[in-house]
Amino acid sequence: MAEHAVLLMLALARDLRGFLQDQVERRWRFLADERPMAQLFEKTIAILGVGVIGGNLAQICKLGFGMRVLGMTRTRRDNPHVDRYFDRAALHTALGEADVVALCLALTPMTERIIDQAALAAMKPTAYLVNVARGGLVDEEALIEALRAGCIGGAGLDATAVEPLPAECPLWALPNVIITPHVAPARDRLNEHLVDFWCQNIRCFAEHAPLPGLVGRHAGY
């Protein structure tokens, strides 16, 4: 999922959608056309949800792109690749610093529509929103308006409020949006890793050891 988040980040920054359309039309557009291209190197990313997935994304961004990493998490704050942690009260401040906002959160009553109209207004007009978690984390109508008005630079969405995304949804047609059909968790060895995880849990249970991946009923994940 962290890899897929990086895919969406790069696709937005490097105008992959535009290049693919040019390829279909057999059109060669060079730098003179002032393509909307940016770099991730030394930019700032705000990761909402620095758990296993968000933690992996923090490592990739810090070591691979030299990015400044801001992280929001409910519990642990020991990831060495996060430059600064922030809490919910400081969310809008962090959003205003970020060139990329990545959603790696679980969807709970506390996080539902955490990216609302006010959050989007706090973001830079050049910033990208990337969601590889749950569509309910975003107020989709507010996002559409923000994208249309140029309040943010673009969005990479692997999760939407309604799935499959209805054909009439305006997100499909917006030029600064990249949509993938909730495939971020998919990989070629997914089943193998799932079996390994189950076996690890069975061994821990048999040995009366702490179980990995426990769900907190009160937290909701």
Side-chain angles (χ1 to χ4, degrees):
M1 291 178 69
E3 290 181 14
H4 199 85
V6 174
L7 164 72
L8 295 173
M9 290 164 56
L10 286 169
L12 289 165
R14 307 303 293 179
D15 190 29
L16 180 60
R17 178 170 174 167
F19 283 117
L20 292 176
Q21 185 60 41
D22 286 346
Q23 183 175 346
V24 170
E25 298 176 5
R26 303 188 181 191
R27 178 177 55 189
W28 184 279
R29 286 198 295 157
F30 193 54
L31 297 179
D33 293 296
E34 297 184 358
R35 305 191 68 107
M37 295 174 62
Q39 65 179 32
L40 297 179
F41 181 66
E42 293 186 338
K43 295 291 180 64
T44 296
I45 182 170
I47 302 175
L48 278 58
V50 189
V52 174
I53 298 163
N56 286 337
L57 179 59
Q59 180 178 3
I60 295 170
C61 291
K62 171 57 67 177
L63 300 182
F65 299 111
M67 297 181 78
R68 176 171 170 254
V69 180
L70 311 178
M72 189 181 84
T73 179
R74 190 179 63 87
T75 52
R76 296 180 59 177
R77 296 192 170 197
D78 57 356
N79 189 302
H81 306 292
V82 175
D83 295 291
R84 189 181 90 229
Y85 282 100
F86 62 93
D87 55 26
R88 182 69 176 267
L91 173 62
H92 288 185
T93 299
L95 293 179
E97 298 178 46
D99 299 291
V100 179
V101 176
L103 304 183
C104 303
L105 290 162
L107 178 61
T108 71
M110 294 296 294
T111 61
E112 185 174 9
R113 294 195 174 191
I114 190 170
I115 301 298
D116 55 12
Q117 184 178 26
L120 291 162
M123 291 172 61
K124 295 179 180 180
T126 54
Y128 305 125
L129 176 68
V130 171
N131 187 2
V132 293
R134 293 290 185 267
L137 297 170
V138 180
D139 180 339
E140 217 160 77
E141 292 301 320
L143 175 61
I144 291 169
E145 290 305 312
L147 290 163
R148 284 173 168 167
C151 296
I152 66 172
L157 307 174
D158 187 58
T160 54
V162 177
E163 297 180 1
L165 186 64
E168 64 273 14
C169 180
L171 288 170
W172 286 113
L174 292 174
N176 50 351
V177 175
I178 295 176
I179 296 169
T180 55
H182 211 142
V183 294
R187 57 181 183 263
D188 52 353
R189 297 175 59 198
L190 177 60
N191 290 336
E192 179 182 336
H193 287 292
L194 287 175
V195 171
D196 289 342
F197 181 73
W198 294 335
C199 291
Q200 182 185 7
N201 266 277
I202 292 170
R203 283 193 298 269
C204 290
F205 180 79
E207 297 169 2
H208 304 285
L211 303 179
L214 282 176
V215 173
R217 294 183 179 179
H218 296 294
Y221 61 96

